[in-house]
């Protein structure tokens, strides 16, 4: 299994200068390649591959005195810029993302990827052409080192994402699943999530507070003059507010996904068309806040590492309109209806918990179709009912 650990770096002033240069070189290769590819495509209808065509140009370009400065930096990092651009184009062609944009020094996180001659120690990482950088390694990193990705956040913090292959295989997922240990999850707006056991998780309040703070700082930024010192300061404050929101959100989602995976054998989600929803502006805001896609991703990652199942059922499932007790289907279920009484059996439903129960049912059908058995509790001998096994410490992804 591959494991990623993110550690904070403390480069010296000199190393920092070099790293900024390296991020710049990576950005330059990315942007130059994007420019060439766009031109070839728009002018001549030629589709170049960043991975195959442009990566090969790099060593040639370095022989040109104009680009000789690139030799100062790790060539793997420059090649990876082409590979990343290639991925961005593939996502675009597959309809998963927008047309690649030029990278800016001022926007987003800067990064560079290193996979040869890298090392990691108790309190340092080693990167080609930079040497040893001081690091705070908060947990033991074991296994064979695959790569180190350096990042610089908009708030000026340096990190290294250390990727290792730990030599362990993924745990086997159970073939016999107890029905009580299957959790259906309905992701929502009034609540972040409602589950089939009746639990509802509110949208975190601290998040909306920090969002308000973020908006205020953004307003301040837009009132400053371009290129001014005040603007640079305001931009840093916005980045810091952003970072706080992102950290609080990620913490919450890590806790929630850890709990649902630890306490169950299978977690069922609806396969949401997040891209389609984001086109709906009002919904988009909520989705971005709630981080649905991140939650599903984190749960899937943790489940694979703890030997648990994650199932995504069809988004066309009429989960809100169907009674989970008698399967009676009502014609319409407007969004504002929070509670309803089933005309078929008289059961009173919370809209979202009922949906979660239907999602659980569909998930069980899916597990059965895969040849697994789902059984009611009590059908098992004690030794088989290992429900909450697995690692309990949280993985910082
Ligand atoms: Zn009913």
């Amino acid at each position: 299994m591959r494991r990623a650990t993110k550690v904070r770096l403390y480069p010296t002033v000199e190393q920092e200068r070099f790293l900024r240069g390296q991020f710049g070189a990576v950005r330059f290769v990315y942007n130059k390649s994007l420019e060439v590819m766009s031109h070839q495509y728009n002018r001549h209808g030629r589709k170049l591959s960043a991975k195959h065509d442009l990566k090969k140009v790099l060593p040639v370009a370095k022989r040109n005195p104009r680009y000789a400065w690139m030799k100062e930096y790790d060539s793997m990092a420059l090649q990876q810029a082409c590979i990343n651009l290639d991925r961005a184009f593939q996502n675009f062609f597959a309809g998963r993302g927008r047309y690649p944009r030029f990278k800016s020094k001022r926007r987003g996180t800067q990064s560079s990827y290193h996979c040869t001659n890298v090392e990691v120690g108790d309190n340092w990482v080693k990167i080609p052409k930079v040497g040893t950088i001081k690091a705070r390694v908060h947990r033991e990193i074991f296994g064979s080192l695959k790569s180190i990705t350096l990042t610089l956040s908009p708030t000026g913090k340096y990190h290294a994402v250390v990727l290792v292959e730990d030599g362990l295989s993924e745990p086997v997922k159970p073939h016999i699943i107890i029905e009580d240990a299957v959790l259906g999850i309905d992701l929502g707006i009034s609540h972040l999530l409602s589950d089939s056991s009746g639990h509802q998780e509110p949208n975190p309040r601290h998040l909306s507070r920090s969002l308000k703070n973020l908006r205020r700082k953004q307003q301040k930024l837009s009132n400053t003059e371009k290129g001014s010192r005040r603007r640079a300061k305001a931009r840093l404050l916005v980045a810091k507010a952003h970072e706080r929101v992102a950290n609080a959100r990620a913490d919450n989602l890590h806790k929630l996904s850890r709990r649902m995976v630890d306490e169950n054998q299978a977690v069922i989600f609806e396969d949401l068309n997040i891209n389609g929803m984001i086109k709906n502006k009002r919904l988009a805001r909520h989705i971005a806040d709630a981080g649905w896609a991140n939650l599903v991703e984190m749960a899937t990652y943790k489940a694979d590492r703890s030997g648990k199942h994650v199932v995504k059922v069809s988004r066309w499932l009429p989960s809100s309109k169907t009674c989970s007790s008698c399967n009676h289907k009502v014609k319409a279920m407007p969004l504002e209806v929070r509670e309803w009484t089933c005309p078929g059996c008289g059961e009173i439903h919370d809209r979202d918990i009922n949906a979660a129960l239907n999602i659980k049912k569909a998930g069980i059908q899916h597990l059965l179709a895969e040849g697994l058995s789902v059984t009611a509790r009590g059908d098992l001998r004690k030794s088989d009912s290992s429900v909450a096994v697995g690692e309990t410490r949280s993985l910082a992804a």
Side-chain angles (χ1 to χ4, degrees):
M1 278 191 294
R2 295 203 158 186
R3 266 172 205 281
T5 308
K6 191 174 179 182
V7 302
R8 180 84 186 266
L9 296 181
Y10 301 94
T12 63
V13 176
E14 208 172 309
Q15 286 173 333
E16 198 171 328
R17 196 189 50 78
F18 183 87
L19 289 177
R20 282 179 195 264
Q22 178 150 271
F23 294 142
V26 167
R27 210 166 49 232
F28 174 80
V29 169
Y30 187 95
N31 287 344
K32 197 80 192 161
S33 306
L34 174 55
E35 187 189 317
V36 170
M37 287 175 73
S38 296
H39 175 82
Q40 286 293 329
Y41 183 65
N42 294 332
R43 189 64 73 79
H44 310 291
R46 264 194 293 256
K47 269 191 192 175
L48 292 183
S49 152
K51 205 165 157 183
H52 298 111
D53 304 323
L54 287 161
K55 220 171 90 180
K56 277 183 225 148
V57 179
L58 274 174
V60 183
K62 281 191 210 163
R63 266 179 253 141
N64 181 332
R66 242 177 95 195
Y67 301 125
W69 58 271
M70 293 202 300
K71 281 188 235 166
E72 243 188 272
Y73 303 104
D74 184 6
S75 58
M76 285 299 162
L78 305 183
Q79 286 180 25
Q80 188 65 27
C82 293
I83 294 171
N84 289 345
L85 177 62
D86 198 68
R87 194 173 309 135
F89 265 106
Q90 275 172 17
N91 283 341
F92 167 69
F93 288 129
R96 286 189 300 263
R98 58 170 152 188
Y99 194 83
R101 284 197 298 172
F102 289 113
K103 290 205 184 290
S104 150
K105 187 156 75 176
R106 290 208 179 79
R107 197 180 52 227
T109 298
Q110 311 292 317
S111 73
S112 67
Y113 169 92
H114 311 272
C115 59
T116 54
N117 299 320
V118 286
E119 274 178 69
V120 59
D122 287 343
N123 57 359
W124 51 267
V125 299
K126 198 174 158 199
I127 303 294
K129 311 216 175 184
V130 190
T132 311
I133 308 172
K134 206 176 134 201
R136 194 160 57 88
V137 181
H138 55 282
R139 75 167 122 111
E140 200 189 344
I141 296 173
F142 61 93
S144 82
L145 183 57
K146 291 293 161 198
S147 68
I148 294 181
T149 303
L150 303 181
T151 64
L152 169 60
S153 75
T155 54
K157 290 181 188 145
Y158 289 86
H159 289 95
V161 179
V162 180
L163 187 71
V164 295
E165 170 62 61
D166 63 11
L168 305 169
S169 47
E170 277 191 2
V172 180
K173 297 179 180 180
H175 288 275
I176 303 170
I177 298 155
I178 302 165
E179 207 178 309
D180 280 353
V182 178
L183 191 70
I185 306 261
D186 178 69
L187 298 167
I189 289 169
S190 57
H191 290 95
L192 172 59
L193 65 86
S194 307
D195 72 32
S196 55
S197 72
H199 172 76
Q200 295 192 305
E201 188 66 37
N203 269 309
R205 270 173 183 264
H206 59 270
L207 209 58
S208 65
R209 232 186 357 248
S210 1
L211 272 174
K212 221 176 265 169
N213 175 37
L214 173 60
R215 264 179 229 124
R216 207 176 52 234
K217 302 235 156 88
Q218 268 166 341
Q219 190 56 45
K220 263 195 184 154
L221 171 63
S222 65
N223 290 341
T224 57
E225 211 173 305
K226 265 195 180 162
S228 69
R229 193 179 277 266
R230 279 190 59 215
R231 189 176 184 84
K233 221 170 165 183
R235 190 183 302 115
L236 183 65
L237 287 178
V238 167
K240 281 187 174 160
H242 249 298
E243 195 176 76
R244 262 197 300 276
V245 171
N247 286 346
R249 177 182 294 153
D251 273 356
N252 188 43
L253 297 180
H254 270 302
K255 270 184 213 134
L256 289 173
S257 55
R258 170 50 62 203
R259 200 169 63 211
M260 59 179 78
V261 167
D262 279 352
E263 292 175 356
N264 297 282
Q265 289 179 304
V267 183
I268 323 293
F269 293 101
E270 247 178 321
D271 181 15
L272 299 157
N273 176 9
I274 307 271
N275 274 345
M277 286 179 178
I278 281 177
K279 287 189 183 120
N280 176 342
K281 281 253 169 85
R282 256 172 67 93
L283 250 186
R285 178 80 246 174
H286 287 296
I287 293 166
D289 290 357
W292 293 348
N294 288 342
L295 180 68
V296 176
E297 197 186 305
M298 286 177 188
T300 308
Y301 174 90
K302 289 179 172 74
D304 285 343
R305 275 157 179 73
S306 317
K308 306 295 177 79
H309 298 274
V310 163
V311 173
K312 286 168 212 156
V313 297
S314 164
R315 73 181 77 125
W316 306 117
L317 186 78
S319 56
S320 300
K321 286 189 236 169
T322 309
C323 168
S324 57
S325 310
C326 74
N327 284 332
H328 180 90
K329 207 171 132 189
V330 294
K331 279 203 189 82
M333 183 57 64
L335 263 174
E336 66 273 14
V337 177
R338 305 312 314 165
E339 206 180 88
W340 57 288
T341 306
C342 172
C345 69
E347 180 96 14
I348 301 167
H349 291 301
D350 173 277
R351 176 205 180 89
D352 298 332
I353 290 174
N354 177 63
L357 283 163
N358 286 323
I359 289 167
K360 170 175 175 169
K361 277 191 190 176
I364 290 176
Q365 290 308 313
H366 182 101
L367 291 165
L368 292 171
E370 292 212 316
L372 304 164
S373 354
V374 179
T375 145
R377 185 181 278 283
D379 291 4
L380 284 176
R381 290 190 317 271
K382 250 194 178 149
S383 59
D384 288 336
S385 55
S386 51
V387 179
V389 213
E391 43 171 10
T392 44
R393 60 181 292 200
S394 108
L395 263 176

